[in-house]
Amino acid sequence: MTEIALRLHHVAKTFGRGKKQVQALKNLDLEVQAGQVYGFLGPNGAGKTTTIRILLDLIRPTRGQAAIYGRDPRRDHGVLGQVGAIVEGAAFYPFLSGRRNLEVLARTGGAYDRGRIDSLLEQVGLAERAGQYVRGYSTGMKQRLGLAAALLSDPDLLILDEPTNGLDPAGIQEMRVFIRDLVDRHGKTVFLSSHILSEIEQVCDRVAIINQGALVREGAVADLLAGSAELRVEAAPLAHAAEVLAARWPVQPNGQSITVRADRAAIPEVVRALVAAEVDVFQVVSQRQTLEDYFLSVTQSPEANHA
Amino acid sequence: MLDVQRHANLFRAEWQKIAGHRWATGLLIWIFPMGALGILAIMLLVALLAPPDIQRNFGLASVNGSVDWTEIMLGAWNIPNEMFGRIILIAFTAVIFAGEYQWGTWKNLLPRRRRVPLIVNKFVTLGAFVVVAFGAASLIAGLGMFLPVKIAGGQYGPPLAEALQSDFVRNFAVQAATTFTATIIAAVYAALGAMLTHSILGSIMIGIGLMILELFSMGIFALLGSLFGHPEIVGLYQLMPSYNLSNVASLITHQPSVNPPFLLNYVAPNSLELSVLILFVWVFGLMTLTVLLFRRQDVTF
Amino acid sequence: MNAIGHLLCAEWQKTTGNRWAVGTLIGLFPIMAVVILILTTLVALGGSPEAMARMGIASGGQVAYWPDYFLFAWAIPSTPIGRWLLIAFTAVAFAGEYQWGTWKNLAARRTRASLVAAKFVTLSLLIVASFTLMSLILGFGMLLPVSIAGGTYGPALDGPLLADFAGRYLGQAGLAFASALVAAGYAALAAIVTRAILGSVLIGIGAFLLEEGLAVPLGLLGTLFHRPEIVALIQLTPSYNLQNLLAWARTGGGHTFPPLDLYAQPNSPELSIVILLVWIAGLIGLTLYSFHRQDILN
Ligand SMILES: Nc1ncnc2c1ncn2[C@@H]1O[C@H](COP(=O)(O)OP(=O)(O)OP(=O)(O)O)[C@@H](O)[C@H]1O
Ligand SMILES: [Mg+2]
């Protein structure tokens, strides 16, 4: 039985009052086991950052509880000592150098270790620019400094809100390797929100997808994508083909082709049906659905909007 | 032991951060010792170059030829009680408290430390800056004036032993302590403003607004008194911080009472103990209010 | 609406949309007028005669002089607090764009000169609107407490009085406007240079203090170099000329003080006006110029 690193229980959050009221989270339940990379997905305004702020005790939930290693950060602030975080774009004192910013944060946490700061700056690739004012940092440099800040206290759980925001392709690649390494070799847990779905697909063990403040899907990446294969069919006349296939499979017209929700095994069946209806078949290709397709299908379906 | 070190680290973090904001500290806190240095430089020029009557205008050679350094040292501590000094210190407080909102850095700090020590530490750091700045200004002026006065041929007295025997030490301590308390009260106004407005300028505006309100409080109470036909309402003024601060100072240094005769028609002056108690309640009441406001706040910036 | 109209309209919406800043820094003046009115009305209703006298309410057949109440608002921009508020307001309008990182959105759409000009025009409009409102509220409003208290709100209006009052009113308002523009000029320039609201406020206020305390270093320099007439340079500063114009309007003579009176005649009103105009144009021009050359980084 593995440890639960992070849990949300019936968490709801409403901002503002009266007419200006915004329900950012509605009854969110989530459980993240230790020792994995957990992806947290959702369109803009879905409530990802709000969730992360609640976990870090930056805002108080209107209802429900958050727990980190079984302890509520509201009542038991000490548990946040085991957490490192980047929240919504790293922000630092612009009038201090990168190193001085880390020093101030380390001291705020109660301890200062110069050697650790040096090695973290090295790791995130800022060693050479660490003496410069953050005012002059690029977006990606600030994000790297944010990662260093999150790692200052050698946390067991990392909560990263869009960590690759502003990073260059090499930086993104490094971040991916770095995160996997933290989990696979150092036994840490990473909770990671992102928009870049290919990223999540490559790095995460499990994902949760939220939309409009509510959980839409949750599961291992492999499971979510399994059994959701598609066929892309090019045929003429297209409209007639769609009509024929729609009788047996879910079909979606897609410009020059139609997309059919069926797996590879169904191809002969599809072709037979089309030929029988005197439709000319040019191509039938099996496509594995990407997380992106899956994400779009669950966050845009009317069912998701009800949840 | 470990805990002491944690607190010391927290204090150093705040000090490093604020001191690193060069132009804000330069304009808002180091300006006081630097001003003392500037005045000293002018005095030296005058002592070296100006004719005697001008030197006298600058207070270098008084009629009986003696300049009192104890007054100079006390005088430096009086700057925060002047309107302008007070406003500058309010602005400094605003940078310390509202800056975190403006730079979006609360989110970095809060997971690392509980909110109460973070806020209390800001007050401690502010106090430390004030003591260092005005202590330095007082020393620079008090010691430094020796030179121009001597050059101008005046006496710089009284001798140290004599000063120590007289009331100087006590007066200095009282002056420093009351000024410090007054500064902290103005600072808490600004800190409250920071919690409410989340902006440096807003914090300054609220700080100055509350300060002005307090300044006029006697007039306001008197007005209310005459409106409701209960002139004794004006006695409420004795609950205000500024009244009690000057009351404490005058009681300890045996100087004439600060109680306006108008006020004495209705109420007896506060005793020393009562005044100290009232000040205590103000300082801790307002600090607690600041902490409470901050504890309940959603940090979404 | 033409392009300039749109620009001004956008600037107006943006400035007044910052409720908080407009409310405390510029809306404060008409609000203060209303508060004063309410207070005096309360006193007129229930206060003792001394309280009424202290609030300036004429009771029992005395005369309250209404032109004073109309003019009161326009005296504010020349007081330190009024000036500081105007500086802070200008600082928000100019330095706010740096702080919010919004210059980059604007600078791509318009020439920089027109952006800065639009800001100055909007500020001027807001300032005039605010003080006019305050003046009208107080001027007309005071009729209420004064008549409740049984006083007379006089003098009765006639042609010559009206002409005289109109002249004084315009003069006072013009002076207030000039004073406000100088303050705004300092603050705007400081905003461009420091790129921060607080920096702009501090430097704006500092410039005024420096200007008003200038007599001391000038006097000192004069004695050091045995050229005491140097102190007369003070007659080139905006503060001096504003005070000078006020003095001319009040007493018919210029503004001077020892030891300045030993070395120079007060400026004539015309000269003062010219000097003020040069300052205002200079500050605004310098603001435009610095902004024009500036890299917009955030
Ligand atoms: N301080 C606030 N006041 C009012 N509403 C807020 C506040 N903060 C967030 N919200 C609202 O809460 C909802 C969720 O916002 P949140 O920042 O959590 O979204 P997100 O999933 O992180 O989006 P993104 O992908 O754009 O970062 C949004 O509708 C947002 O407008
Ligand atoms: Mg977000």
Side-chain angles (χ1 to χ4, degrees):
Chain A
M1 175 74 207
T2 40
E3 198 181 5
I4 306 290
L6 175 168
R7 167 185 276 146
L8 295 168
H9 181 67
H10 293 337
V11 170
K13 175 69 190 179
T14 308
F15 288 109
R17 294 211 170 91
K19 270 197 172 159
K20 290 188 183 162
Q21 184 165 316
V22 178
Q23 264 207 317
L25 291 177
K26 310 164 189 161
N27 223 17
L28 187 60
D29 288 289
L30 207 64
E31 208 172 86
V32 176
Q33 309 224 318
Q36 57 178 345
V37 183
Y38 195 98
F40 193 41
L41 309 182
N44 289 136
K48 303 181 293 295
T49 303
T50 303
T51 308
I52 286 175
R53 287 183 188 277
I54 288 173
L55 287 168
L56 295 170
D57 189 29
L58 293 175
I59 63 183
R60 48 170 62 194
T62 312
R63 265 177 293 115
Q65 290 102 40
I68 289 175
Y69 296 116
R71 294 152 70 188
D72 181 353
R74 265 217 97 69
R75 305 227 176 75
D76 190 356
H77 190 272
V79 71
L80 292 177
Q82 298 174 53
V83 180
I86 302 181
V87 185
E88 202 168 59
F92 293 97
Y93 305 106
F95 47 86
L96 298 179
S97 70
R99 169 177 276 110
R100 188 43 75 82
N101 262 293
L102 291 185
E103 189 177 335
V104 164
L105 290 179
R107 285 193 198 280
T108 301
Y112 167 59
D113 174 356
R114 197 193 156 90
R116 172 140 188 97
I117 289 182
D118 283 336
S119 80
L120 281 172
L121 284 167
E122 194 70 49
Q123 273 181 58
V124 299
L126 275 182
E128 273 165 35
R129 309 285 297 267
Q132 284 180 3
Y133 289 127
V134 166
R135 193 189 298 129
Y137 278 19
S138 69
T139 312
M141 288 164 73
K142 280 185 212 154
Q143 204 67 15
R144 285 164 188 264
L145 192 62
L147 183 63
L151 291 167
L152 264 178
S153 59
D154 193 18
D156 300 317
L157 170 63
L158 271 166
I159 297 182
L160 306 176
D161 193 5
E162 296 178 38
T164 51
N165 196 359
L167 291 185
D168 53 24
I172 294 175
Q173 164 96 21
E174 282 168 37
M175 176 76 86
R176 194 162 60 214
V177 173
F178 191 81
I179 287 174
R180 278 289 7 149
D181 197 55
L182 279 175
V183 172
D184 297 339
R185 297 235 311 258
H186 302 277
K188 315 269 182 193
T189 309
V190 177
F191 183 74
L192 166 83
S193 91
S194 179
H195 288 128
I196 306 180
L197 296 152
S198 57
E199 276 301 317
I200 294 262
E201 195 175 343
Q202 286 178 60
V203 77
C204 291
D205 303 308
R206 281 181 88 82
V207 296
I209 300 179
I210 65 168
N211 193 19
Q212 300 186 358
L215 190 67
V216 183
R217 291 284 191 284
E218 202 272 348
V221 176
D223 292 346
L224 289 183
L225 297 181
S228 56
E230 294 172 346
L231 305 177
R232 193 162 58 85
V233 177
E234 279 176 33
L238 207 56
H240 187 43
E243 213 171 285
V244 170
L245 294 177
R248 298 185 54 193
W249 297 279
V251 165
Q252 208 170 22
N254 194 7
Q256 301 297 323
S257 60
I258 44 184
T259 305
V260 181
R261 271 280 193 88
D263 57 20
R264 206 178 135 76
I267 289 180
E269 198 61 18
V270 167
V271 174
R272 260 197 297 279
L274 290 175
V275 169
E278 301 198 328
V279 175
D280 297 336
V281 179
F282 296 98
Q283 193 173 8
V284 178
V285 192
S286 149
Q287 287 184 320
R288 201 176 81 86
Q289 197 184 17
T290 61
L291 191 58
E292 183 158 310
D293 304 323
Y294 186 72
F295 176 80
L296 290 176
S297 72
V298 297
T299 55
Q300 288 175 351
S301 70
E303 167 213 7
N305 292 345
H306 279 291
Chain B
M1 182 58 220
L2 197 72
D3 225 40
V4 172
Q5 207 174 5
R6 269 173 65 83
H7 288 310
N9 264 319
L10 184 58
F11 173 77
R12 279 199 62 183
E14 190 68 29
W15 181 281
Q16 279 184 323
K17 176 198 312 172
I18 299 303
H21 198 339
R22 289 287 155 67
W23 68 255
T25 40
L27 280 175
L28 298 176
I29 191 81
W30 302 138
I31 194 170
F32 298 110
M34 284 186 324
L37 275 177
I39 290 174
L40 214 56
I42 292 179
M43 290 299 191
L44 265 176
L45 277 180
V46 171
L48 287 170
L49 301 171
D53 55 325
I54 297 224
Q55 293 187 351
R56 196 165 298 124
N57 279 346
F58 276 81
L60 277 180
S62 64
V63 187
N64 61 14
S66 167
V67 176
D68 190 341
W69 58 265
T70 62
E71 277 178 18
I72 295 179
M73 290 194 71
L74 285 177
W77 276 98
N78 212 24
I79 296 169
N81 297 329
E82 308 290 338
M83 178 80 139
F84 195 67
R86 183 69 57 86
I87 289 179
I88 295 263
L89 288 171
I90 284 180
F92 185 57
T93 313
V95 172
I96 295 184
F97 283 87
E100 308 279 3
Y101 293 97
Q102 199 149 306
W103 307 313
T105 41
W106 274 126
K107 65 185 180 196
N108 299 336
L109 305 181
L110 293 178
R112 291 171 209 274
R113 219 47 186 270
R114 284 186 304 118
R115 297 188 184 201
V116 178
L118 279 173
I119 289 290
V120 171
N121 182 55
K122 282 191 179 288
F123 281 116
V124 172
T125 314
L126 170 72
F129 269 106
V130 168
V131 168
V132 169
F134 288 99
S138 171
L139 272 181
I140 290 172
L143 295 180
M145 276 298 278
F146 177 79
L147 210 58
V149 170
K150 281 294 165 194
I151 292 174
Q155 289 272 330
Y156 202 48
L160 189 59
E162 197 180 300
L164 291 182
Q165 265 178 6
S166 73
D167 284 340
F168 172 65
V169 174
R170 187 175 61 187
N171 287 351
F172 188 84
V174 170
Q175 173 75 282
T178 48
T179 298
F180 183 77
T181 315
T183 309
I184 290 295
I185 289 176
V188 191
Y189 292 157
L192 269 178
M195 297 302 144
L196 292 174
T197 65
H198 302 180
S199 100
I200 293 183
L201 189 61
S203 159
I204 295 178
M205 297 294 303
I206 291 199
I208 294 179
L210 289 175
M211 179 185 92
I212 290 178
L213 207 63
E214 202 201 314
L215 210 64
F216 289 140
S217 57
M218 190 163 90
I220 295 172
F221 288 136
L223 182 70
L224 287 176
S226 82
L227 269 182
F228 296 113
H230 283 282
E232 63 278 10
I233 287 181
V234 76
L236 287 179
Y237 178 60
Q238 291 190 345
L239 294 176
M240 304 306 286
S242 41
Y243 163 83
N244 288 292
L245 275 167
S246 33
N247 193 39
V248 167
S250 70
L251 283 174
I252 294 185
T253 55
H254 308 296
Q255 262 149 26
S257 155
V258 292
N259 295 275
F262 172 59
L263 200 58
L264 289 178
N265 290 340
Y266 305 105
V267 270
N270 286 351
S271 68
L272 182 61
E273 293 76 13
L274 181 58
S275 271
V276 170
L277 181 72
I278 291 176
L279 285 173
F280 193 81
V281 169
W282 271 101
V283 171
F284 284 89
L286 288 173
M287 278 195 190
T288 310
L289 191 60
T290 311
V291 167
L292 282 182
L293 276 179
F294 187 56
R295 266 175 48 130
R296 304 187 45 83
Q297 196 163 71
D298 281 348
V299 173
T300 56
F301 9 77
Chain C
M1 219 183 326
N2 60 10
I4 292 179
H6 279 296
L7 182 59
L8 283 177
C9 186
E11 192 60 41
W12 177 278
Q13 284 176 337
K14 182 168 49 178
T15 315
T16 53
N18 192 350
R19 291 282 153 73
W20 190 91
V22 172
T24 52
L25 299 173
I26 194 104
L28 189 68
F29 301 113
I31 293 174
M32 226 158 63
V34 173
V35 171
I36 292 175
L37 261 191
I38 293 175
L39 278 180
T40 43
T41 308
L42 282 178
V43 173
L45 282 171
S48 62
E50 307 98 78
M52 290 194 206
R54 211 173 303 132
M55 294 293 285
I57 308 170
S59 56
Q62 286 169 298
V63 178
Y65 191 59
W66 57 260
D68 283 350
Y69 289 105
F70 277 99
L71 287 173
F72 175 75
W74 295 105
I76 291 177
S78 308
T79 63
I81 296 274
R83 192 171 282 166
W84 295 356
L85 287 173
L86 291 176
I87 287 178
F89 188 58
T90 315
V92 172
F94 279 87
E97 305 278 0
Y98 293 99
Q99 206 145 297
W100 307 316
T102 41
W103 272 130
K104 60 179 174 231
N105 305 333
L106 304 176
R109 293 192 162 75
R110 286 306 177 116
T111 64
R112 295 191 182 187
S114 62
L115 286 172
V116 169
K119 278 198 187 294
F120 274 113
V121 173
T122 309
L123 282 180
S124 306
L125 287 176
L126 275 170
I127 290 170
V128 170
S130 163
F131 288 108
T132 307
L133 201 59
M134 180 179 189
S135 164
L136 294 181
I137 293 175
L138 268 189
F140 287 114
M142 280 302 279
L143 182 60
L144 183 68
V146 168
S147 28
I148 289 176
T152 316
Y153 203 45
L157 201 58
D158 60 21
L161 179 77
L162 188 64
D164 176 55
F165 172 69
R168 273 175 62 202
Y169 193 86
L170 284 181
Q172 182 78 268
L175 197 61
F177 187 58
S179 178
L181 272 188
V182 173
Y186 278 136
L189 185 57
I192 303 295
V193 173
T194 66
R195 305 175 184 217
I197 293 180
L198 182 62
S200 163
V201 174
L202 287 176
I203 292 193
I205 293 178
F208 260 110
L209 291 177
L210 214 64
E211 212 188 88
E212 296 197 326
L214 199 60
V216 177
L218 283 181
L220 189 64
L221 279 178
T223 48
L224 289 183
F225 297 108
H226 304 291
R227 300 290 297 271
E229 62 279 11
I230 287 182
V231 78
L233 283 177
I234 199 135
Q235 293 193 345
L236 293 177
T237 63
S239 294
Y240 167 84
N241 287 294
L242 286 168
Q243 275 171 333
N244 188 40
L245 284 175
L246 266 180
W248 277 106
R250 282 211 191 107
T251 65
H255 173 59
T256 190
F257 50 88
L260 180 65
D261 47 0
L262 296 179
Y263 307 107
Q265 291 292 318
N267 290 346
S268 69
E270 294 78 15
L271 181 58
S272 275
I273 290 175
V274 170
I275 293 180
L276 280 175
L277 285 180
V278 169
W279 269 96
I280 292 171
L283 284 170
I284 294 179
L286 212 53
T287 306
L288 282 171
Y289 177 73
S290 338
F291 187 52
H292 190 67
R293 296 178 33 118
Q294 190 168 59
D295 290 343
I296 291 176
L297 295 172
N298 64 335

PDB file of all heavy atoms in Angstrom, chain A residues 15 22 24 43-50 88 162 195, chain B residues 300, ligand 1:
ATOM      1  N   PHE A  15     -15.118  32.554  -5.477  1.00  0.00           N
ATOM      2  CA  PHE A  15     -14.529  33.890  -5.330  1.00  0.00           C
ATOM      3  C   PHE A  15     -15.635  34.922  -5.397  1.00  0.00           C
ATOM      4  O   PHE A  15     -16.568  34.784  -6.184  1.00  0.00           O
ATOM      5  CB  PHE A  15     -13.544  34.188  -6.454  1.00  0.00           C
ATOM      6  CG  PHE A  15     -12.253  33.424  -6.349  1.00  0.00           C
ATOM      7  CD1 PHE A  15     -11.973  32.400  -7.230  1.00  0.00           C
ATOM      8  CD2 PHE A  15     -11.327  33.747  -5.371  1.00  0.00           C
ATOM      9  CE1 PHE A  15     -10.779  31.703  -7.141  1.00  0.00           C
ATOM     10  CE2 PHE A  15     -10.131  33.061  -5.285  1.00  0.00           C
ATOM     11  CZ  PHE A  15      -9.860  32.030  -6.163  1.00  0.00           C
ATOM     12  N   VAL A  22     -17.755  33.960  -8.636  1.00  0.00           N
ATOM     13  CA  VAL A  22     -17.224  32.976  -9.583  1.00  0.00           C
ATOM     14  C   VAL A  22     -17.006  31.670  -8.840  1.00  0.00           C
ATOM     15  O   VAL A  22     -16.319  31.630  -7.829  1.00  0.00           O
ATOM     16  CB  VAL A  22     -15.862  33.441 -10.150  1.00  0.00           C
ATOM     17  CG1 VAL A  22     -15.316  32.387 -11.090  1.00  0.00           C
ATOM     18  CG2 VAL A  22     -15.988  34.766 -10.860  1.00  0.00           C
ATOM     19  N   ALA A  24     -15.009  28.782  -8.792  1.00  0.00           N
ATOM     20  CA  ALA A  24     -13.790  28.283  -9.432  1.00  0.00           C
ATOM     21  C   ALA A  24     -13.666  26.779  -9.288  1.00  0.00           C
ATOM     22  O   ALA A  24     -13.183  26.109 -10.189  1.00  0.00           O
ATOM     23  CB  ALA A  24     -12.574  28.983  -8.851  1.00  0.00           C
ATOM     24  N   PRO A  43      -8.670  23.205 -19.339  1.00  0.00           N
ATOM     25  CA  PRO A  43      -8.565  24.413 -20.157  1.00  0.00           C
ATOM     26  C   PRO A  43      -8.379  25.665 -19.287  1.00  0.00           C
ATOM     27  O   PRO A  43      -8.466  25.591 -18.067  1.00  0.00           O
ATOM     28  CB  PRO A  43      -9.897  24.460 -20.904  1.00  0.00           C
ATOM     29  CG  PRO A  43     -10.819  23.562 -20.167  1.00  0.00           C
ATOM     30  CD  PRO A  43      -9.992  22.572 -19.419  1.00  0.00           C
ATOM     31  N   ASN A  44      -8.146  26.791 -19.922  1.00  0.00           N
ATOM     32  CA  ASN A  44      -7.975  28.050 -19.190  1.00  0.00           C
ATOM     33  C   ASN A  44      -9.153  28.297 -18.272  1.00  0.00           C
ATOM     34  O   ASN A  44     -10.302  28.134 -18.673  1.00  0.00           O
ATOM     35  CB  ASN A  44      -7.870  29.239 -20.154  1.00  0.00           C
ATOM     36  CG  ASN A  44      -6.561  29.242 -20.915  1.00  0.00           C
ATOM     37  OD1 ASN A  44      -6.545  29.470 -22.112  1.00  0.00           O
ATOM     38  ND2 ASN A  44      -5.475  28.987 -20.237  1.00  0.00           N
ATOM     39  N   GLY A  45      -8.844  28.668 -17.061  1.00  0.00           N
ATOM     40  CA  GLY A  45      -9.908  28.993 -16.108  1.00  0.00           C
ATOM     41  C   GLY A  45     -10.584  27.785 -15.508  1.00  0.00           C
ATOM     42  O   GLY A  45     -11.609  27.900 -14.852  1.00  0.00           O
ATOM     43  N   ALA A  46     -10.015  26.586 -15.710  1.00  0.00           N
ATOM     44  CA  ALA A  46     -10.660  25.373 -15.196  1.00  0.00           C
ATOM     45  C   ALA A  46     -10.565  25.271 -13.683  1.00  0.00           C
ATOM     46  O   ALA A  46     -11.387  24.620 -13.048  1.00  0.00           O
ATOM     47  CB  ALA A  46     -10.016  24.145 -15.834  1.00  0.00           C
ATOM     48  N   GLY A  47      -9.540  25.902 -13.113  1.00  0.00           N
ATOM     49  CA  GLY A  47      -9.389  25.841 -11.659  1.00  0.00           C
ATOM     50  C   GLY A  47      -8.110  25.160 -11.206  1.00  0.00           C
ATOM     51  O   GLY A  47      -7.977  24.811 -10.037  1.00  0.00           O
ATOM     52  N   LYS A  48      -7.154  24.981 -12.117  1.00  0.00           N
ATOM     53  CA  LYS A  48      -5.910  24.299 -11.749  1.00  0.00           C
ATOM     54  C   LYS A  48      -5.113  25.118 -10.743  1.00  0.00           C
ATOM     55  O   LYS A  48      -4.716  24.619  -9.691  1.00  0.00           O
ATOM     56  CB  LYS A  48      -5.049  24.069 -13.008  1.00  0.00           C
ATOM     57  CG  LYS A  48      -5.744  23.285 -14.103  1.00  0.00           C
ATOM     58  CD  LYS A  48      -4.836  23.080 -15.300  1.00  0.00           C
ATOM     59  CE  LYS A  48      -4.493  24.355 -16.057  1.00  0.00           C
ATOM     60  NZ  LYS A  48      -5.635  25.001 -16.701  1.00  0.00           N
ATOM     61  N   THR A  49      -4.888  26.384 -11.071  1.00  0.00           N
ATOM     62  CA  THR A  49      -4.095  27.213 -10.167  1.00  0.00           C
ATOM     63  C   THR A  49      -4.812  27.388  -8.835  1.00  0.00           C
ATOM     64  O   THR A  49      -4.182  27.379  -7.776  1.00  0.00           O
ATOM     65  CB  THR A  49      -3.819  28.580 -10.823  1.00  0.00           C
ATOM     66  OG1 THR A  49      -3.169  28.357 -12.066  1.00  0.00           O
ATOM     67  CG2 THR A  49      -2.942  29.431  -9.949  1.00  0.00           C
ATOM     68  N   THR A  50      -6.120  27.506  -8.891  1.00  0.00           N
ATOM     69  CA  THR A  50      -6.887  27.637  -7.653  1.00  0.00           C
ATOM     70  C   THR A  50      -6.663  26.411  -6.772  1.00  0.00           C
ATOM     71  O   THR A  50      -6.436  26.528  -5.568  1.00  0.00           O
ATOM     72  CB  THR A  50      -8.378  27.801  -7.984  1.00  0.00           C
ATOM     73  OG1 THR A  50      -8.521  28.943  -8.840  1.00  0.00           O
ATOM     74  CG2 THR A  50      -9.196  28.002  -6.731  1.00  0.00           C
ATOM     75  N   GLU A  88       1.849  29.564 -10.854  1.00  0.00           N
ATOM     76  CA  GLU A  88       1.451  30.505 -11.879  1.00  0.00           C
ATOM     77  C   GLU A  88       2.518  31.524 -12.249  1.00  0.00           C
ATOM     78  O   GLU A  88       2.411  32.708 -11.947  1.00  0.00           O
ATOM     79  CB  GLU A  88       0.225  31.276 -11.375  1.00  0.00           C
ATOM     80  CG  GLU A  88      -0.576  31.873 -12.504  1.00  0.00           C
ATOM     81  CD  GLU A  88      -1.908  32.379 -12.011  1.00  0.00           C
ATOM     82  OE1 GLU A  88      -1.912  33.245 -11.130  1.00  0.00           O
ATOM     83  OE2 GLU A  88      -2.942  31.919 -12.521  1.00  0.00           O
ATOM     84  N   GLU A 162       2.274  24.787 -14.452  1.00  0.00           N
ATOM     85  CA  GLU A 162       2.821  25.119 -15.766  1.00  0.00           C
ATOM     86  C   GLU A 162       4.308  25.431 -15.727  1.00  0.00           C
ATOM     87  O   GLU A 162       4.737  26.523 -16.072  1.00  0.00           O
ATOM     88  CB  GLU A 162       2.046  26.298 -16.354  1.00  0.00           C
ATOM     89  CG  GLU A 162       0.603  25.916 -16.583  1.00  0.00           C
ATOM     90  CD  GLU A 162      -0.214  27.074 -17.111  1.00  0.00           C
ATOM     91  OE1 GLU A 162       0.341  27.821 -17.920  1.00  0.00           O
ATOM     92  OE2 GLU A 162      -1.377  27.193 -16.730  1.00  0.00           O
ATOM     93  N   HIS A 195      -0.608  22.822 -19.959  1.00  0.00           N
ATOM     94  CA  HIS A 195      -1.468  22.860 -21.137  1.00  0.00           C
ATOM     95  C   HIS A 195      -0.881  22.023 -22.242  1.00  0.00           C
ATOM     96  O   HIS A 195      -1.553  21.676 -23.188  1.00  0.00           O
ATOM     97  CB  HIS A 195      -1.556  24.273 -21.689  1.00  0.00           C
ATOM     98  CG  HIS A 195      -2.358  25.162 -20.847  1.00  0.00           C
ATOM     99  ND1 HIS A 195      -1.910  26.372 -20.410  1.00  0.00           N
ATOM    100  CD2 HIS A 195      -3.586  25.010 -20.346  1.00  0.00           C
ATOM    101  CE1 HIS A 195      -2.833  26.929 -19.683  1.00  0.00           C
ATOM    102  NE2 HIS A 195      -3.861  26.135 -19.626  1.00  0.00           N
TER     103      HIS A 195
ATOM    104  N   THR B 300      -4.133  35.497  -4.162  1.00  0.00           N
ATOM    105  CA  THR B 300      -4.335  35.080  -5.553  1.00  0.00           C
ATOM    106  C   THR B 300      -3.568  35.974  -6.509  1.00  0.00           C
ATOM    107  O   THR B 300      -4.021  36.242  -7.605  1.00  0.00           O
ATOM    108  CB  THR B 300      -5.812  35.141  -5.950  1.00  0.00           C
ATOM    109  OG1 THR B 300      -6.271  36.466  -5.716  1.00  0.00           O
ATOM    110  CG2 THR B 300      -6.648  34.173  -5.179  1.00  0.00           C
TER     111      THR B 300
HETATM  112  N1  LIG D   1      -8.975  36.315  -7.238  1.00  0.00           N
HETATM  113  C1  LIG D   1      -9.972  35.884  -8.002  1.00  0.00           C
HETATM  114  N2  LIG D   1     -11.151  36.533  -8.020  1.00  0.00           N
HETATM  115  C2  LIG D   1     -12.148  36.100  -8.792  1.00  0.00           C
HETATM  116  N3  LIG D   1     -12.092  35.020  -9.575  1.00  0.00           N
HETATM  117  C3  LIG D   1     -10.947  34.321  -9.610  1.00  0.00           C
HETATM  118  C4  LIG D   1      -9.809  34.722  -8.831  1.00  0.00           C
HETATM  119  N4  LIG D   1      -8.821  33.833  -9.058  1.00  0.00           N
HETATM  120  C5  LIG D   1      -9.307  32.939  -9.952  1.00  0.00           C
HETATM  121  N5  LIG D   1     -10.573  33.231 -10.282  1.00  0.00           N
HETATM  122  C6  LIG D   1     -11.438  32.470 -11.208  1.00  0.00           C
HETATM  123  O1  LIG D   1     -11.377  31.122 -10.885  1.00  0.00           O
HETATM  124  C7  LIG D   1     -11.414  30.332 -12.060  1.00  0.00           C
HETATM  125  C8  LIG D   1     -10.254  29.366 -12.049  1.00  0.00           C
HETATM  126  O2  LIG D   1      -9.051  30.079 -12.193  1.00  0.00           O
HETATM  127  P1  LIG D   1      -7.626  29.365 -12.194  1.00  0.00           P
HETATM  128  O3  LIG D   1      -6.598  30.420 -12.156  1.00  0.00           O
HETATM  129  O4  LIG D   1      -7.604  28.345 -11.125  1.00  0.00           O
HETATM  130  O5  LIG D   1      -7.631  28.649 -13.615  1.00  0.00           O
HETATM  131  P2  LIG D   1      -6.486  27.758 -14.295  1.00  0.00           P
HETATM  132  O6  LIG D   1      -7.059  26.421 -14.488  1.00  0.00           O
HETATM  133  O7  LIG D   1      -5.229  27.866 -13.532  1.00  0.00           O
HETATM  134  O8  LIG D   1      -6.363  28.478 -15.695  1.00  0.00           O
HETATM  135  P3  LIG D   1      -5.070  28.736 -16.613  1.00  0.00           P
HETATM  136  O9  LIG D   1      -4.890  27.517 -17.429  1.00  0.00           O
HETATM  137  O10 LIG D   1      -5.486  29.863 -17.487  1.00  0.00           O
HETATM  138  O11 LIG D   1      -3.923  29.048 -15.733  1.00  0.00           O
HETATM  139  C9  LIG D   1     -11.413  31.288 -13.223  1.00  0.00           C
HETATM  140  O12 LIG D   1     -12.717  31.432 -13.679  1.00  0.00           O
HETATM  141  C10 LIG D   1     -10.941  32.581 -12.621  1.00  0.00           C
HETATM  142  O13 LIG D   1     -11.522  33.667 -13.270  1.00  0.00           O
END
